[in-house]
Amino acid sequence: MIPMATATETPTEYIQHHLTFLTHPVAPGSFWTINVDTLVMTALLGLVTFGFLYFVTRRATAGVPSKTQAFVEWFLDFVNGQVKSVYTGTTKLIAPMALTTFTLTLFMNAMDVLPLDIVSRALHAIGVPYFRLVPTADVNTTFALALSVFGLSIFYAIKIKGFGGWIHELFCSPFGSKPVLWILNLLFNIVEYVSKPLSHSLRLFGNMYAGEIMFLLVGMLAASGIAGTVFGVVLHFSWSIFETLIILLQAYIFMMLTVVYLAMAHENH
């Protein structure tokens, strides 16, 4: 078991410590494990985030809104406007899906700016040796989100076009319905279908994982001496500003790709 990060720790041990998940096997001796920290943080953030939105909407008034209500209304209008700019169908689930995806992803990403060593030491004091704070830096989370969107896109494609229409599209689009082109069309569509959840999930995971690594590297620099501490503080502040932009941008991109993929499922080729 790797000890808490200290001044005597090597850079490798320090990074390994902070990049180790708090895991629990599904069964004794099982290959499958559960990342407990990812599940706990996702559930907690979902409860806080959507609980807050529910609380604000339940207390909304028709008169002059409070600052909190005005912000939530602006946020809802923003998401709804982004959905309308891409999706022109009649399905009422697309906007709620976009809102859920954007809000949850945003708050999961935002955990990246918490002071990692302070939180780690506090958890270690109560007997928790490892804990990853950023759920979206776990590829299992981003794949789960992307596969949920992928499953919904298949569902809507079959619902809108019918199972026969969906199969016809797999074999006859985009190069035509001649039998000689069926295999080529199918291969092309399989590549497209596989690439969607891969690109959707890995883009978010890669950016958030890289953000974690950068904060760890800056933390090691700050522990290298007085000059390193001063330079590390400046660099940490600068990177925090840049990482905030990444957090917002990646949540927005993930939401927009969700809307685009669901909108594509409604299109006929």
Side-chain angles (χ1 to χ4, degrees):
M1 185 177 294
I2 300 173
M4 276 296 299
T6 63
T8 60
E9 244 181 349
T10 66
T12 300
E13 290 174 332
Y14 177 77
I15 291 176
Q16 284 180 342
H17 174 267
H18 283 300
L19 295 183
T20 301
F21 289 100
L22 178 64
T23 60
H24 188 277
V26 174
S30 172
F31 171 78
W32 300 99
T33 59
I34 298 174
N35 289 345
V36 178
D37 41 11
T38 297
L39 293 179
V40 169
M41 288 303 300
T42 302
L44 181 61
L45 290 170
L47 181 64
V48 171
T49 302
F50 298 115
F52 169 73
L53 292 176
Y54 176 79
F55 176 78
V56 172
T57 54
R58 292 291 291 179
R59 294 174 61 90
T61 60
V64 178
S66 64
K67 292 181 179 179
T68 303
Q69 180 182 334
F71 173 77
V72 171
E73 289 179 352
W74 170 84
F75 180 69
L76 294 176
D77 288 339
F78 169 76
V79 173
N80 194 47
Q82 297 303 306
V83 172
K84 288 182 177 179
S85 68
V86 176
Y87 176 69
T88 58
T90 58
T91 303
K92 296 181 179 180
L93 186 62
I94 306 301
M97 269 292 298
L99 176 64
T100 301
T101 302
F102 181 56
T103 307
L104 185 58
T105 304
L106 176 63
F107 278 85
M108 288 194 294
N109 292 352
M111 294 300 100
D112 201 22
V113 298
L114 291 180
L116 188 60
D117 278 320
I118 295 176
V119 176
S120 181
R121 290 180 185 278
L123 290 172
H124 189 266
I126 60 175
V128 181
Y130 305 111
F131 202 88
R132 296 282 296 274
L133 290 171
V134 189
T136 44
D138 182 356
V139 72
N140 297 287
T141 302
T142 58
F143 259 110
L145 292 171
L147 288 174
S148 298
V149 175
F150 179 71
L152 279 174
S153 67
I154 298 295
F155 169 79
Y156 278 114
I158 296 175
K159 180 181 179 181
I160 298 299
K161 305 163 189 175
F163 184 74
W166 179 62
I167 294 297
H168 179 270
E169 185 176 85
L170 284 178
F171 285 90
C172 300
S173 174
F175 302 118
S177 58
K178 293 182 179 181
V180 70
L181 297 173
W182 286 358
I183 299 300
L184 182 60
N185 287 328
L186 179 61
L187 292 175
F188 183 88
N189 283 304
I190 287 175
V191 171
E192 181 182 356
Y193 274 111
V194 171
S195 66
K196 286 179 180 179
L198 284 176
S199 62
H200 202 187
S201 60
L202 293 179
R203 179 185 289 105
L204 177 60
F205 164 72
N207 279 275
M208 300 318 301
Y209 185 80
E212 273 196 325
I213 295 294
M214 282 299 301
F215 277 122
L216 291 175
L217 294 176
V218 171
M220 288 191 299
L221 176 64
S224 62
I226 297 178
T229 300
V230 174
F231 186 66
V233 169
V234 175
L235 190 59
H236 187 278
F237 178 75
S238 303
W239 180 255
S240 295
I241 296 175
F242 183 68
E243 185 68 10
T244 301
L245 298 177
I246 294 176
I247 287 168
L248 292 168
L249 182 61
Q250 289 304 314
Y252 176 77
I253 291 174
F254 198 89
M255 177 195 73
M256 291 306 298
L257 286 176
T258 297
V259 177
V260 168
Y261 292 157
L262 294 177
M264 290 173 63
H266 289 70
E267 297 175 355
N268 289 309
H269 299 283

